[in-house]
Amino acid sequence: MIEASIPVATDAISPRRDAPLTPGATQLGVLGGGQLGRMFVHAAQVHGFRVAVLEPDAASPAGAAADTHLCAAYADACALAALAAQCAAVTTEFENVPAGSLRTLAARLPVSPPADAVEICQHRAREKTAFAAAGVPCAPHALIASADDAAAPALAALLPGILKTATLGYDGKGQANVASPADVAPAWAAMGGVPCVLEQRLPLRLEISVIVARGRDGQVVHLPVQQNLHRQGILAVTQVPAPDVPAGTAAEAVALAQRLVRALDYVGVLCVEFFVLTDGRLVANEMAPRPHNSGHYSIDACDVSQFDLQVRTLAGLPLVAPRLHSPAVMLNLLGDLWFEAGDVAAAAPRTPDWPGVMSLPGVRLHLYGKAEARRGRKMGHLTVTAADAATARAVALQAAARLGLPAF
Ligand code: ATP
Ligand code: MG
């Protein structure tokens, strides 16, 4: 890894913005230094691209893997100029980068996903408006941006509900349950009075997600439908093929995600999370303008992973439909595993039993290189692949037991 802060001449800016970039000859850029950026770096490097990461944290998962780490804020004008000078195209690994940075870069070189779409995904109300505009069903909801909004009698129809901050929520953070009309104003005040969305609590049978990728030429491909189990608002387990999803529901979810990616005139990888309700209906929960935790299995179980798709869409290279070559189960590895069970405050540190899980057939360990384990922090994941779904699940249950994770 090279720390660079001054622009260096590039040998390889594409003369035509729409021409495919040449693997092996160019550098790609990514805004953000988290694990999604790290896995993008790995995929890009496999294709022969060099990668520059813009990330203010000097010790980040993606920065450690990149060819070049520009250590600066995402809106730093000098750093953005350096990134544009060094790279042939730029992407992002998380949705909360300043959209202005993407626009600044887009004036100089190809950027995907587009700033407009990222900006929509940054705000839950705008996101729901985009769902509705594309004909994708979403939860009944209301924007709460003032004390008057919080006192509106019409909110009663949305209760019991979940109050969610409109921006910056992830892994269930910035959310509160609201049971009665009198609870709305105090819950909103407890959120600091920031703009929020009050969403009706829906009766979920299960949760699924669909990852689609759309190229510069408008071609759309997708990964198989993923069935997701959340614990405490955080993704815990993904199973593919989705064991409990009827074929018709899966096909409908894919069609809705395709409709959305086209309506947004999107280029890049987009993940759409859906609820499957107890009556079988599909409701879009949220979307992510990037690869998604629920798609990590694709690295080990598909011939084209979600990160390969991000590379291809960014570089303007051909898209081919990914093929799932093995059933897969992904287990998220949160920082909790690095502490002995028992009293949370006093728990002693420990190292998870890696040899124990790696002795199981078909297990692949991915750790993101984060120095400090904290509860709820995503430290890595395990993918279990097998010749059939029943075996993948059985081995994943064994792995979970050896790590002290609950069964699923
Ligand atoms: P992410 O890390 O996926 O961005 P987030 O913090 O944005 O998460 P959501 O996806 O909105 O949070 O919600 C987290 C989880 O809470 C969902 O996966 C689902 O299990 C539950 N949940 C959210 N909204 C609803 C709802 N309207 N009805 C029922 N359950 C819900
Ligand atoms: Mg979510």
Side-chain angles (χ1 to χ4, degrees), residues 369-373 377 379:
K370 297 183 183 179
E372 191 198 348
R377 189 178 200 200
M379 302 297 290

Side-chain angles (χ1 to χ4, degrees), residues 3-400:
E3 295 258 349
S5 57
I6 45 166
V8 293
T10 176
D11 49 3
I13 290 184
S14 174
R16 272 183 50 215
R17 284 177 63 103
D18 57 347
L21 304 179
T22 312
T26 44
Q27 178 153 270
L28 303 176
V30 58
L31 297 181
Q35 62 267 18
L36 298 171
R38 179 182 177 90
M39 289 180 266
F40 168 79
V41 169
H42 290 156
Q45 289 173 339
V46 164
H47 288 81
F49 290 106
R50 287 175 287 117
V51 185
V53 166
L54 174 57
E55 162 60 44
D57 185 344
S60 69
D67 297 274
T68 303
H69 176 194
L70 293 160
C71 195
Y74 306 125
D76 183 297
C78 288
L80 291 172
L83 197 65
Q86 293 175 29
C87 296
V90 173
T91 187
T92 180
E93 65 113 32
F94 79 129
E95 58 267 44
N96 288 317
V97 291
S101 296
L102 295 175
R103 292 201 175 94
T104 300
L105 290 164
R108 304 256 325 253
L109 73 171
V111 171
S112 70
D116 289 355
V118 173
E119 211 161 37
I120 288 169
C121 297
Q122 289 173 346
H123 194 286
R124 288 190 195 277
R126 285 202 290 260
E127 191 171 59
K128 286 179 165 41
T129 304
F131 286 148
V136 174
C138 65
H141 64 280
L143 181 66
I144 313 285
S146 70
D148 281 352
D149 291 345
L155 297 183
L158 299 174
L159 301 178
I162 308 174
L163 189 69
K164 305 179 177 181
T165 57
T167 62
L168 301 174
Y170 70 99
D171 289 348
K173 293 181 174 59
Q175 298 197 8
N177 291 317
V178 180
S180 74
D183 297 340
V184 179
W188 180 67
M191 296 281 190
V194 297
C196 287
V197 168
L198 178 64
E199 229 177 85
Q200 190 174 57
R201 178 170 283 285
L202 299 171
L204 311 189
R205 181 185 298 166
L206 48 92
E207 298 186 60
I208 63 174
S209 53
V210 179
I211 290 164
V212 288
R214 184 166 179 267
R216 291 186 204 164
D217 61 356
Q219 193 197 348
V220 178
V221 299
H222 64 91
L223 288 171
V225 170
Q226 296 120 199
Q227 182 169 324
N228 302 323
L229 172 70
H230 294 78
R231 298 191 181 113
Q232 281 90 47
I234 307 178
L235 182 66
V237 181
T238 294
Q239 297 181 80
V240 185
D244 306 311
V245 180
T249 305
E252 189 188 339
V254 169
L256 290 172
Q258 289 171 335
R259 191 188 297 173
L260 190 59
V261 82
R262 291 194 176 103
L264 291 168
D265 197 15
Y266 191 90
V267 175
V269 174
L270 180 80
C271 178
V272 189
E273 295 179 35
F274 292 96
F275 300 138
V276 183
L277 304 187
T278 47
D279 64 6
R281 274 187 304 137
L282 272 175
V283 167
N285 172 27
E286 57 178 358
M287 59 180 166
R290 51 166 172 78
H292 191 261
N293 194 168
S294 62
H296 291 353
Y297 74 93
S298 62
I299 297 172
D300 300 312
C302 294
D303 56 1
V304 183
S305 77
Q306 61 170 349
F307 300 101
D308 296 332
L309 291 173
Q310 189 179 17
V311 171
R312 285 175 183 241
T313 52
L314 181 63
L317 290 164
L319 296 182
V320 293
R323 184 179 68 87
L324 181 78
H325 53 66
S326 306
V329 179
M330 187 228 43
L331 304 179
N332 252 356
L333 305 173
L334 303 182
D336 307 58
L337 291 182
W338 276 252
F339 297 95
E340 298 289 353
D343 178 16
V344 168
R350 66 165 185 178
T351 301
D353 180 12
W354 302 134
V357 290
M358 290 173 72
S359 67
L360 295 168
V363 169
R364 193 117 190 274
L365 174 66
H366 298 250
L367 291 180
Y368 308 144
K370 297 183 183 179
E372 191 198 348
R374 293 195 294 268
R375 289 186 185 277
R377 189 178 200 200
K378 289 174 180 168
M379 302 297 290
H381 68 270
L382 277 185
T383 311
V384 183
T385 56
D388 60 82
T391 307
R393 181 182 161 81
V395 174
L397 284 167
Q398 279 181 287

